[in-house]
Amino acid sequence: MRIEILCTGDEILTGKTVNTNYSHIARRLEEVGLSASWGTTVGDDRAALLAAFRQAAARAEAVIVNGGLGPTVDDLSQEVAAQAAGVELVLHEPWLARMEEFYRRRNRPMPPNNRKQAMLPAGAEVLDNPIGTACGFALAIGGARFFFTPGVPREMRRMLDEQVIPRLLAMSGMPGTTRLKRFHSFGIGESRADQMLAGVEALAGPGGGVKLGFQAHYPELETKLMARGADAAEAEARLAPVIAEVRRRLGNYLIAEDDATLEGVVLGALAARSGTLAVAETLTAGRIAERLAALPAAEGVFRRGVIAPDLAALRAALGLAAAAAPGVTPAAAHTAAVALAAASGASHALAVLIALDPGEDRRELGGAVCVGIAGPAGAAVAREARLFGGREWIRLGAAELGLDCLRRLLLGLPTDEAVDFERR
Amino acid sequence: MRIEILCTGDEILTGKTVNTNYSHIARRLEEVGLSASWGTTVGDDRAALLAAFRQAAARAEAVIVNGGLGPTVDDLSQEVAAQAAGVELVLHEPWLARMEEFYRRRNRPMPPNNRKQAMLPAGAEVLDNPIGTACGFALAIGGARFFFTPGVPREMRRMLDEQVIPRLLAMSGMPGTTRLKRFHSFGIGESRADQMLAGVEALAGPGGGVKLGFQAHYPELETKLMARGADAAEAEARLAPVIAEVRRRLGNYLIAEDDATLEGVVLGALAARSGTLAVAETLTAGRIAERLAALPAAEGVFRRGVIAPDLAALRAALGLAAAAAPGVTPAAAHTAAVALAAASGASHALAVLIALDPGEDRRELGGAVCVGIAGPAGAAVAREARLFGGREWIRLGAAELGLDCLRRLLLGLPTDEAVDFERR
């Protein structure tokens, strides 16, 4: 089935807003086994909208329109949709009542121009928006089914999942249910993961129905399984053996699943043993502390973060005696972690030190990353890795490596397995 | 002049990559007084590309195509462009020589499939790419002039500015030169800035030629002046009185200009007086330290960052005696700053404390932000502001407020002027 995504609005057309709604919609289609075949962007302009609707109607069987459902005069989607379909705009009484109720619950009068949001093309099917006043709708224009969605991202996302995708799946004659399973790994590049996971889809059984995909977010890699079935039970049954095999093959490199994160897993493992954490960083510039401390799960676990420009300043901040020429070594990182644990009273302390190679920042620039961890009963990590890719890349990799070493220590996994990003 | 932006590539079409190239191109057009009137996205597919080229040729006078100039088989732009223009692909010897030289300088053999990148439609005009092997080119298809640019962002950005925009300006019959001036402010919302700056464009003189625009990046606001002139001197002359007036009206809220940043201005002001800085944070979770410490300008200036979950833990980290019930107040922030300056030996210490209102995170959630600064010779700030908008919004605002108070102290400006985001 040919699906077009049609984004409207001057903010998007002029580049003032980056079009993340487009990429979200396109990605979600892929995740349920559908695909966008064309994307169009036009501004808040009657002639352009009308032309775009007509061209999309001629090109695609389904069109997802985003934006232009608001209450202001430059929100033109309903009006131009009616014109393109050759029907009148009519007041949709139930939606008007919904909006009045929406404002009543907030003890505010409904502004008069909001009434415009209840004017829909005659014959349109309402697509519910439980969290906003923009009314989504579906409408036939030419030979295509159009789905009109709001520009507000969280309203669009919910309407897409709850209203639009089920209708698209029904139109496409695909069985009713899809499920998406996500894995997050650190230390495996996309091409190696592709090799490591070769053939896993076949474990879904003779009927197939499971598709493997990847998305790199350096330094992490996301592995996705998209499953399809006649019902939820069938999708789950197909998925289960594939999930088990992906877990087995990614092994120790698997850091989290679905909405979980590396930092969340670390905080959870600490909380489970009533542990607490302090972090010391040099060139990562507070990035590790920021990833941890901002999470609700950090409450009661995260104790202290110390940031210093270099090892000498870090030693001073931790009350360690000045060394003649402190070298960035795994032992120095471990010493810093021990001192930090003692000073903060935290059960676990993580220190991440970086010594960049000399010279200008450039893509080939490398650096030595040293991770030290001090835990109860002498639990310790002292690990070094050489990372490359310039300052920012090394920082991102170092923060991830430090957190991953801590995860591995807490979960009883080896802390010195090579990652694809280091050169040994 | 009608300009279309046509983005190609499966990664973009499927949403795997967010289309920031589109927004960059569209924004740059706005900045030089041009506008995109239509955007199209298609995948690496011959039929779709050919249809997209033909439709764009029928719709626009100029078309900027992005992507598809690489060496692999799914890079189809040259081939389909030749087909759409009804010409042959021919080997462009000078570009082949350039590529061979490019690889020779890197001591690597040129892979044979790179030869494909020197195959251009007959009659195409080369658009130079001094930093890559993808050869840009311009070509007439139907009644439109097409400009083909590489998908690699830094190559595209440079080719756009150096090759494409000058040709578009010449086509549009606009005088040759444009200049963009940018101002960054903190504390003024977009609609108030629009009022405050009403009429400034008229100061460019009777010929006009200066356009005002805004872009909000909470908590900062970017104000842009786009100037146009027959030559650089004319553009500068028109701009000068407008720049002076914008500076005057934004006044103390103007934090930086052009590529400068608030954190860069703060570090620069400290370096100018041989000052050094330490930072203590609670709920900002290390964000202030991260903004500062990652900059090259922080070298020799940034001394220490301390992050704690709450004021009691911060006091412990700073070696202050435990208080019975430490309250987040401006005085408490100042006390923390004084202790931090003493412990770190920094000339200036900034402490930012946040006390969130009780309850779940939500858009209406507010919090008290207390900023304390200790400087030499008793220089001090103790300031409180109530911010709203949920945890993340308050964090962003608090980090900015803390840095801005320090900027104001260093520059001798009042540190207690109200900002639009606080409620008094």
Side-chain angles (χ1 to χ4, degrees):
Chain A
M1 186 170 66
R2 292 181 65 84
I3 304 175
E4 174 154 348
I5 302 173
L6 205 166
C7 297
T8 76
D10 286 345
E11 301 268 309
I12 294 294
L13 182 69
T14 60
K16 201 164 172 173
T17 302
V18 175
N19 198 351
T20 49
N21 276 2
Y22 175 89
S23 47
H24 178 86
I25 296 170
R27 229 167 27 229
R28 285 295 297 141
L29 292 178
E30 293 286 323
E31 287 169 358
V32 300
L34 300 168
S35 277
S37 58
W38 198 284
T40 296
T41 306
V42 288
D44 300 313
D45 175 271
R46 275 191 182 75
L49 278 168
L50 186 61
F53 287 176
R54 288 185 172 150
Q55 288 170 20
R59 207 156 38 206
E61 284 99 58
V63 181
I64 302 171
V65 182
N66 187 245
L69 300 182
T72 65
V73 287
D74 58 357
D75 288 305
L76 299 167
S77 286
Q78 297 105 316
E79 184 186 328
V80 179
Q83 192 184 348
V87 298
E88 294 296 305
L89 273 183
V90 292
L91 180 68
H92 192 272
E93 296 282 359
W95 194 261
L96 182 63
R98 275 278 296 274
M99 280 199 291
E100 285 166 348
E101 173 59 22
F102 183 95
Y103 279 94
R104 200 161 29 240
R105 278 205 314 273
R106 284 160 181 73
N107 292 313
R108 299 207 311 251
M110 188 179 92
N113 55 0
N114 273 74
R115 191 180 162 89
K116 174 176 170 299
Q117 295 186 287
M119 299 296 293
L120 299 186
E125 173 193 11
V126 167
L127 303 177
D128 193 24
N129 177 0
I131 52 177
T133 58
C135 180
F137 61 93
L139 182 71
I141 300 179
R145 190 82 183 155
F146 277 59
F147 300 89
F148 290 83
T149 62
V152 177
R154 60 190 205 106
E155 297 179 23
M156 175 279 285
R157 289 173 184 218
R158 185 149 169 190
M159 192 181 292
L160 180 71
D161 282 358
E162 293 179 357
Q163 304 287 333
V164 180
I165 283 176
R167 285 171 173 80
L168 291 174
L169 289 174
M171 279 176 72
S172 70
M174 285 170 149
T177 302
T178 63
R179 237 208 90 195
L180 174 69
K181 175 70 190 174
R182 295 150 61 221
F183 304 88
H184 311 284
S185 59
F186 166 63
I188 303 172
E190 181 167 342
S191 59
R192 192 155 74 96
D194 198 18
Q195 291 163 20
M196 285 169 69
L197 298 179
V200 289
E201 294 145 294
L203 298 171
V210 173
K211 198 180 140 200
L212 175 70
F214 299 101
Q215 185 144 14
H217 321 267
Y218 179 83
E220 296 185 2
L221 178 70
E222 186 178 349
T223 299
K224 302 190 214 186
L225 295 175
M226 284 80 79
R228 161 171 308 290
D231 53 29
E234 190 181 66
E236 292 290 342
R238 286 173 170 172
L239 208 44
V242 190
I243 289 176
E245 184 63 12
V246 170
R247 284 190 188 126
R248 199 184 66 75
R249 295 199 197 172
L250 293 179
N252 297 340
Y253 294 96
L254 177 62
I255 52 178
E257 298 187 15
D258 299 316
D259 291 337
T261 60
L262 174 57
E263 47 272 33
V265 167
V266 164
L267 292 171
L270 283 165
R273 61 182 74 187
S274 304
T276 52
L277 178 64
V279 175
E281 310 175 54
T282 59
L283 251 168
T284 36
R287 200 152 294 173
I288 301 174
E290 212 231 295
R291 283 176 67 173
L292 292 161
L295 297 177
E299 209 172 310
V301 176
F302 184 81
R303 276 282 175 89
R304 189 179 297 181
V306 179
I307 303 158
D310 52 40
L311 178 56
L314 185 67
R315 289 178 60 93
L318 296 174
L320 289 164
V328 169
T329 61
H334 182 252
T335 302
V338 170
L340 177 61
S344 66
S347 68
H348 292 74
L350 165 66
V352 177
L353 309 177
I354 304 181
L356 288 180
D357 294 347
E360 288 282 281
D361 195 13
R362 59 197 187 278
R363 279 201 213 175
E364 299 76 23
L365 184 74
V369 176
C370 292
V371 176
I373 302 177
V381 173
R383 153 106 152 91
E384 179 165 12
R386 278 194 64 72
L387 301 182
F388 287 82
R391 277 173 170 262
E392 186 57 21
W393 220 241
I394 295 169
R395 273 198 189 109
L396 288 169
E400 187 84 5
L401 182 72
L403 287 168
D404 190 49
C405 283
L406 181 53
R407 174 189 71 90
R408 286 168 170 261
L409 180 75
L410 292 167
L411 301 183
L413 304 173
T415 56
D416 58 354
E417 278 183 286
V419 298
D420 279 1
F421 311 115
E422 73 180 303
R423 297 200 199 148
R424 292 206 159 184
Chain B
M1 185 170 68
R2 293 181 64 84
I3 303 175
E4 173 154 349
I5 301 173
L6 204 165
C7 297
T8 76
D10 286 345
E11 300 268 308
I12 294 294
L13 182 69
T14 59
K16 200 164 172 174
T17 301
V18 175
N19 198 352
T20 50
N21 277 1
Y22 176 89
S23 48
H24 178 86
I25 296 170
R27 228 169 26 231
R28 285 295 296 142
L29 293 178
E30 293 286 323
E31 286 170 358
V32 300
L34 300 168
S35 276
S37 59
W38 197 286
T40 297
T41 305
V42 288
D44 300 312
D45 174 271
R46 275 192 182 74
L49 278 168
L50 186 61
F53 287 176
R54 288 186 171 148
Q55 289 170 19
R59 206 156 40 206
E61 283 100 57
V63 181
I64 301 172
V65 182
N66 187 245
L69 301 182
T72 65
V73 288
D74 57 357
D75 289 304
L76 298 167
S77 286
Q78 296 108 314
E79 185 187 326
V80 179
Q83 193 184 348
V87 299
E88 294 296 305
L89 273 183
V90 292
L91 179 68
H92 191 273
E93 296 282 359
W95 192 261
L96 182 63
R98 275 278 296 276
M99 280 198 292
E100 285 166 347
E101 175 58 24
F102 183 96
Y103 279 96
R104 199 159 30 237
R105 279 204 315 274
R106 284 160 180 75
N107 291 314
R108 299 207 311 251
M110 188 179 94
N113 55 358
N114 273 74
R115 191 180 164 90
K116 172 177 173 299
Q117 294 186 289
M119 299 297 292
L120 299 187
E125 174 193 10
V126 166
L127 303 177
D128 193 24
N129 177 0
I131 52 176
T133 58
C135 181
F137 61 95
L139 181 72
I141 300 178
R145 189 83 184 155
F146 277 60
F147 300 90
F148 290 84
T149 62
V152 177
R154 60 190 205 106
E155 298 178 22
M156 175 278 286
R157 289 174 184 216
R158 184 148 170 191
M159 192 181 293
L160 181 70
D161 282 358
E162 293 179 357
Q163 304 287 332
V164 179
I165 284 176
R167 286 171 172 81
L168 292 174
L169 289 173
M171 279 176 71
S172 71
M174 285 171 150
T177 303
T178 62
R179 238 208 90 195
L180 173 69
K181 175 72 191 174
R182 295 149 63 220
F183 304 89
H184 310 284
S185 59
F186 166 63
I188 304 171
E190 180 167 343
S191 57
R192 193 155 75 95
D194 198 18
Q195 291 163 22
M196 285 170 68
L197 298 179
V200 289
E201 293 145 296
L203 297 172
V210 174
K211 198 179 141 203
L212 176 70
F214 299 100
Q215 186 143 13
H217 320 268
Y218 179 83
E220 295 185 4
L221 177 71
E222 185 179 349
T223 299
K224 301 190 213 186
L225 296 175
M226 284 78 81
R228 164 171 305 289
D231 53 29
E234 191 181 69
E236 291 291 340
R238 286 172 171 172
L239 208 44
V242 189
I243 289 176
E245 184 64 12
V246 170
R247 285 193 187 125
R248 199 185 64 76
R249 294 200 196 172
L250 293 179
N252 298 339
Y253 293 96
L254 177 62
I255 52 177
E257 299 188 13
D258 300 315
D259 290 338
T261 60
L262 174 56
E263 46 273 32
V265 167
V266 164
L267 291 171
L270 283 164
R273 61 180 76 186
S274 304
T276 51
L277 177 64
V279 174
E281 310 175 55
T282 59
L283 251 167
T284 36
R287 201 153 293 174
I288 301 175
E290 212 231 297
R291 283 176 66 173
L292 292 162
L295 296 177
E299 208 173 313
V301 177
F302 185 81
R303 275 284 176 87
R304 190 179 296 180
V306 178
I307 304 158
D310 53 40
L311 178 55
L314 185 67
R315 289 178 59 93
L318 296 173
L320 290 164
V328 169
T329 61
H334 183 250
T335 301
V338 170
L340 177 61
S344 66
S347 67
H348 291 73
L350 164 66
V352 177
L353 310 176
I354 304 181
L356 287 179
D357 294 347
E360 288 282 284
D361 194 13
R362 57 197 189 279
R363 278 199 216 178
E364 300 77 23
L365 183 74
V369 176
C370 292
V371 176
I373 302 177
V381 173
R383 153 104 154 91
E384 178 165 12
R386 278 194 62 74
L387 301 182
F388 288 82
R391 276 172 170 261
E392 186 56 21
W393 220 240
I394 295 169
R395 271 197 192 112
L396 288 169
E400 187 84 4
L401 183 72
L403 287 169
D404 190 49
C405 284
L406 181 54
R407 174 190 70 90
R408 287 167 170 262
L409 180 74
L410 291 167
L411 302 182
L413 304 173
T415 56
D416 60 351
E417 280 183 284
V419 299
D420 279 1
F421 311 114
E422 73 180 302
R423 298 200 199 149
R424 292 205 158 183

